[in-house]
Amino acid sequence: MFSIEQLQAFVATVEAGSFSAAARSLSKAQSVISQHIINLEIDCNATLFERTGRYPQLTDAGKQLLPQAKAVLNQHQRLTNSALALNEKTPTEITIALDEGIPFKTIASIISKLQSKYPYVSLEFLSASSHDIIDMLNSEKPITGIIFSELNIPSYLDYECIGSVKFDLYVAKSHPLAGIRCENMDGLRLHRQLLLRSRNTQTSSFQLKISPEIWYADNYFVLLELAIQGNGWCLLPNHVAVDAVQSGELVKLPLEFEEMGWLANVDVLQHQQHSNQEVFKVLRNLLRNFLKI
Amino acid sequence: MFSIEQLQAFVATVEAGSFSAAARSLSKAQSVISQHIINLEIDCNATLFERTGRYPQLTDAGKQLLPQAKAVLNQHQRLTNSALALNEKTPTEITIALDEGIPFKTIASIISKLQSKYPYVSLEFLSASSHDIIDMLNSEKPITGIIFSELNIPSYLDYECIGSVKFDLYVAKSHPLAGIRCENMDGLRLHRQLLLRSRNTQTSSFQLKISPEIWYADNYFVLLELAIQGNGWCLLPNHVAVDAVQSGELVKLPLEFEEMGWLANVDVLQHQQHSNQEVFKVLRNLLRNFLKI
DNA sequence: AGCTAGTATCGGCAAAAGCGATATGTTTAG
DNA sequence: CTAAACATATCGCTTTTGCCGATACTAGCT
């Protein structure tokens, strides 16, 4: 019978690259990992690692088994989180961490419905970048995160998509780009781009460096201000730009080329340990059914 | 850390109704189960069973944990099956077990494509009732089952829906029902119904007893013959009835009332131990993409 | 009251998990 | 080519865990 320890040793070896490294990552002796893998191989009647070179290489059999092993460990982790949840009381305070690029206004209407159902809980709102929010969610506090979809969400988080936010390109009315129609991306490369730094990773298909000259800011409202003052063009959520557009300070860039589907999906995230709490189920249900971001 | 043994003890207790019964079902001593449950409760810091009465009752905490525990065991089972699969060679013979109500003609065209890709494998076809097919799938032989969707498919089987079969009500042209339009079910109750016995369980929404007088048969072609000879009305897959309708022996019952969506979903089933074999992936892919049942 | 079917606990055994030490193999840098 | 650095396998040993059987106790039924 495959034990959890064996599977952990197996997966850790693949992830760490060697038995020794796996032992370190699991805080066990190297001989323990070695023995686990050998036993696993005996149980499977198959070699899982090629041990010729310095680092063990997964065999085909190992590659076949790996996703199954990971699935068991994931499920096991989920069980552990559920067990922790058994000892929790309904929280007295709910914290919602919101990516800065997501309009708070639409969230607020949902919250009032939640409040009427759970009048005793107090609410707290935080703004942060999507990455920082993911980090926050690993704390003791039961935080609900609302962020732009990121590719790599840790396995201990539950998430679901609840909508999307439309982005467009904006420049100041006085900016040279404002008058002309760009037929392709190249037109943008001739002018300075204003870009969000905190989410400037490979995970987001947004926030791409297009122009060779870039100014960075770490939040959308600074970008907005920079754009208004004519410092460059900028990809902004429409709700951030709408006021400046109405007042005539900013214009949406008229584009000929495809808009690349500049719709950013919005996810609600929660630690598995808290996600089954009644109040959070209700919250997510409200977000899912009544929110049109 | 939750061990597989603890979880098995927990789930077995819920399913068997008592620690002792669980011990018997797992072929272990009763004290072992008792100890596992106690340890599980210590790990969770929560009572999982109410032990006041004769039989232990799941507490709320237990109810919360149960689905997670089952999920881990399911995943573990799947891993075990995958491990078994590592030692299998590509089969030299493929057996496809088909529910009698599913048209073979459409399957045959798929099979020829498979044959061209794997010319060396020999093929075998079996007809049986959906229930019998499910039993067959638990054998050593890697059998592919194609059956009407049933509610309770054992957890060791992989399945997916690949289409549906249309059913209609048929009677002989000479039958009294043939002339009149039934406005509701009651009209049917006045005449003998011809019904399939082998699938006459609670699992299928088809094969309902409607008339008080019923004749049974264990396959569709006997039912067809009985219907042709004017012995009653009958719910048949259209492809079974089509010839008799064309020759004028049988007519489709004109119904006023809703057709209850008499579309039976068709699933392809396979034991997890074999489902990852290349040849079966190809087979299922053919069924999924090219089959219009 | 007595029977039956259940649970908890104890002592003991065997298997398994873990550790550290050591022998040995593979790279890489000097 | 050699030595240093890093890797794996194996051995003996201790600790923990899984399991058993025996026993005491409890709930429910007749």
Side-chain angles (χ1 to χ4, degrees):
Chain A
M1 171 122 78
F2 302 107
S3 73
I4 298 294
E5 286 82 3
Q6 284 174 346
L7 301 180
Q8 282 177 332
F10 176 50
V11 173
T13 299
V14 175
E15 284 174 353
S18 76
F19 295 0
S20 306
R24 287 190 294 271
S25 83
L26 293 176
S27 307
K28 303 200 169 163
Q30 171 265 321
S31 60
V32 172
I33 307 299
S34 181
Q35 211 35 68
H36 273 316
I37 301 289
I38 289 170
N39 288 335
L40 206 55
E41 290 179 323
I42 291 170
D43 287 355
C44 296
N45 188 31
T47 307
L48 298 177
F49 290 100
E50 203 58 61
R51 293 163 172 83
T52 53
R54 180 171 198 153
Y55 296 100
Q57 297 290 320
L58 263 187
T59 61
D60 284 346
K63 280 176 196 161
Q64 270 189 58
L65 215 59
L66 181 61
Q68 305 293 342
K70 278 185 176 173
V72 174
L73 292 181
N74 259 336
Q75 210 55 63
H76 189 263
Q77 182 62 45
R78 179 172 283 270
L79 171 71
T80 306
N81 285 325
S82 296
L84 286 172
L86 294 178
N87 291 299
E88 293 195 348
K89 294 274 129 238
T90 307
T92 56
E93 183 173 87
I94 289 179
T95 301
I96 296 176
L98 204 66
D99 186 288
E100 292 138 339
I102 296 170
F104 176 73
K105 215 179 286 181
T106 49
I107 307 284
S109 65
I110 299 298
I111 299 304
S112 61
K113 292 192 191 179
L114 186 72
Q115 193 66 180
S116 66
K117 194 155 184 182
Y118 294 92
Y120 52 90
V121 301
S122 68
L123 287 164
E124 178 189 14
F125 293 94
L126 297 176
S127 274
S129 75
S130 289
H131 275 125
D132 292 345
I133 289 175
I134 286 181
D135 289 342
M136 278 186 217
L137 286 169
N138 200 13
S139 77
E140 289 286 299
K141 278 176 78 170
I143 296 178
T144 304
I146 300 177
I147 70 168
F148 290 121
S149 299
E150 302 279 342
L151 291 183
N152 39 4
I153 292 179
S155 64
Y156 54 80
L157 296 182
D158 277 340
Y159 61 94
E160 63 181 297
C161 184
I162 55 167
S164 56
V165 168
K166 184 85 191 303
F167 280 65
D168 274 304
L169 294 177
Y170 292 95
V171 288
K173 199 163 200 169
S174 57
H175 193 281
L177 275 173
I180 58 176
R181 286 188 83 78
C182 291
E183 308 224 338
N184 54 43
M185 279 291 192
D186 292 334
L188 296 176
R189 279 190 243 279
L190 303 175
H191 298 271
R192 186 188 301 122
Q193 177 180 6
L194 307 173
L195 196 55
L196 200 69
R197 171 80 93 175
S198 60
R199 199 156 46 257
N200 180 22
T201 70
Q202 74 289 0
T203 58
S204 175
S205 58
F206 289 68
Q207 316 307 337
L208 290 177
K209 290 193 232 181
I210 291 169
S211 167
E213 194 193 345
I214 301 183
W215 283 7
Y216 292 103
D218 75 343
N219 93 52
Y220 284 110
F221 296 94
V222 173
L223 288 180
L224 174 69
E225 203 51 47
L226 291 172
I228 288 174
Q229 292 176 14
N231 292 297
W233 61 270
C234 184
L235 188 67
L236 290 174
N238 288 352
H239 70 278
V240 169
V242 64
D243 285 346
V245 170
Q246 281 209 336
S247 71
E249 300 168 292
L250 220 55
V251 295
K252 191 181 288 194
L253 257 190
L255 293 176
E256 289 273 320
F257 53 92
E258 46 135 7
E259 300 214 359
M260 297 173 53
W262 278 328
L263 273 179
N265 283 327
V266 174
D267 287 344
V268 57
L269 303 186
Q270 205 137 35
H271 197 288
Q272 284 171 0
Q273 186 176 340
H274 312 298
S275 64
N276 282 321
Q277 290 252 2
E278 193 63 24
V279 59
F280 292 125
K281 284 188 186 171
V282 171
L283 171 58
R284 291 200 309 273
N285 201 40
L286 285 169
L287 290 170
R288 194 184 311 127
N289 294 326
F290 298 104
L291 191 59
K292 292 285 168 277
I293 293 184
Chain B
M1 169 119 81
F2 302 107
S3 73
I4 298 295
E5 286 85 2
Q6 284 174 345
L7 301 180
Q8 281 177 333
F10 176 50
V11 172
T13 299
V14 175
E15 286 175 352
S18 77
F19 294 1
S20 304
R24 287 190 294 271
S25 84
L26 294 176
S27 307
K28 303 200 170 163
Q30 170 265 321
S31 60
V32 171
I33 308 298
S34 181
Q35 210 36 67
H36 273 316
I37 301 289
I38 290 170
N39 288 335
L40 204 54
E41 291 180 322
I42 291 171
D43 286 354
C44 295
N45 188 31
T47 307
L48 298 176
F49 290 100
E50 203 58 64
R51 291 159 172 87
T52 54
R54 180 170 197 153
Y55 297 100
Q57 297 289 319
L58 262 188
T59 60
D60 285 346
K63 281 177 195 159
Q64 272 190 58
L65 215 59
L66 181 60
Q68 306 291 340
K70 279 185 177 172
V72 175
L73 292 182
N74 260 335
Q75 211 55 63
H76 189 263
Q77 182 62 45
R78 179 173 283 271
L79 170 70
T80 305
N81 285 325
S82 296
L84 286 173
L86 293 180
N87 290 298
E88 293 194 349
K89 294 273 129 245
T90 307
T92 56
E93 183 174 85
I94 289 179
T95 301
I96 296 178
L98 204 65
D99 186 287
E100 293 136 338
I102 295 169
F104 175 72
K105 215 179 287 180
T106 49
I107 307 285
S109 64
I110 300 300
I111 297 308
S112 61
K113 292 193 189 178
L114 186 72
Q115 193 65 183
S116 66
K117 193 154 184 183
Y118 295 90
Y120 53 89
V121 299
S122 68
L123 287 165
E124 177 189 15
F125 293 95
L126 298 176
S127 273
S129 76
S130 290
H131 275 125
D132 292 344
I133 289 174
I134 287 179
D135 289 343
M136 278 186 220
L137 287 169
N138 201 12
S139 77
E140 288 287 299
K141 277 176 81 172
I143 297 178
T144 305
I146 300 178
I147 69 168
F148 290 121
S149 300
E150 301 281 339
L151 292 181
N152 39 5
I153 291 178
S155 64
Y156 54 80
L157 296 182
D158 277 341
Y159 61 95
E160 63 180 296
C161 185
I162 55 166
S164 56
V165 168
K166 184 85 189 307
F167 280 64
D168 274 304
L169 294 176
Y170 292 94
V171 289
K173 199 162 200 171
S174 57
H175 193 279
L177 275 172
I180 60 176
R181 284 189 85 77
C182 291
E183 308 223 337
N184 53 44
M185 279 292 191
D186 292 333
L188 296 177
R189 278 190 244 277
L190 302 175
H191 298 272
R192 186 187 302 122
Q193 177 179 6
L194 306 173
L195 196 55
L196 200 69
R197 172 80 93 175
S198 62
R199 201 157 46 258
N200 178 24
T201 68
Q202 75 289 359
T203 57
S204 174
S205 60
F206 289 66
Q207 314 308 336
L208 289 178
K209 290 192 232 181
I210 291 170
S211 166
E213 195 194 345
I214 300 182
W215 284 6
Y216 293 103
D218 75 343
N219 93 52
Y220 284 110
F221 296 94
V222 174
L223 287 181
L224 173 70
E225 202 52 46
L226 290 173
I228 288 174
Q229 295 177 10
N231 292 297
W233 61 269
C234 183
L235 188 67
L236 289 174
N238 288 352
H239 69 276
V240 170
V242 64
D243 286 345
V245 170
Q246 282 208 337
S247 71
E249 299 168 291
L250 220 53
V251 296
K252 193 181 286 193
L253 257 191
L255 293 177
E256 289 273 317
F257 53 91
E258 46 137 7
E259 300 212 3
M260 299 171 53
W262 278 328
L263 271 178
N265 283 326
V266 174
D267 287 346
V268 58
L269 304 187
Q270 207 137 35
H271 196 290
Q272 284 171 1
Q273 186 178 338
H274 313 298
S275 65
N276 281 321
Q277 290 252 3
E278 192 64 24
V279 59
F280 292 125
K281 284 187 183 169
V282 170
L283 171 59
R284 292 200 309 274
N285 200 41
L286 285 169
L287 289 170
R288 194 185 312 124
N289 293 326
F290 298 104
L291 191 60
K292 292 287 167 274
I293 293 186

